[in-house]
Amino acid sequence: MRQPSRLDLLQGTLDLLILRTLQTGPQHGWAISERIQQISQDVLRVNQGSLYPALHRLEHQGWIKADWGISELGRRARFYQLTATGRKQLELETETWARLTGAIGRVLEMA
């Protein structure tokens, strides 16, 4: 059964969260998911069925790139990092998000 406290992430929102998470440096998929969960204070959880297709999509778009490395647990993992194009896209997506949430906030505050 679904927990009502968990929020489903729209594709564009997930892309934005991944890009923002990678702004701090390269990370492997599991670490990206954990970081989003941690920063959101356990409200947002990104399951692997959503995360890895999003990572592949972002890589295909040229916004991130992946290289093989060794995780903190000593396992081989793909580490993702932002590209220059990804940094520009993050800036654009962040501006779009701010406009959208501002507009939604204004509608919710209507008297």
Side-chain angles (χ1 to χ4, degrees), residues 38-108:
Q38 176 190 25
I39 294 298
S40 73
Q41 298 179 342
D42 210 27
V43 173
L44 302 175
R45 286 191 179 215
V46 182
N47 65 46
Q48 291 184 359
S50 300
L51 178 66
Y52 288 99
L55 288 169
H56 291 292
R57 183 174 58 253
L58 295 174
E59 189 175 12
H60 181 72
Q61 291 169 321
W63 298 347
I64 63 173
K65 68 177 188 173
D67 293 305
W68 287 102
I70 303 298
S71 74
E72 57 278 354
L73 299 176
R75 295 184 179 149
R76 194 163 181 253
R78 286 181 59 133
F79 283 77
Y80 300 89
Q81 66 183 37
L82 279 178
T83 62
T85 304
R87 289 186 197 287
K88 291 177 187 172
Q89 187 64 29
L90 173 59
E91 188 175 314
L92 177 65
E93 296 287 334
T94 301
E95 291 170 4
T96 300
W97 178 259
R99 281 195 316 275
L100 175 63
T101 57
I104 291 170
R106 288 188 296 276
V107 171
L108 293 175

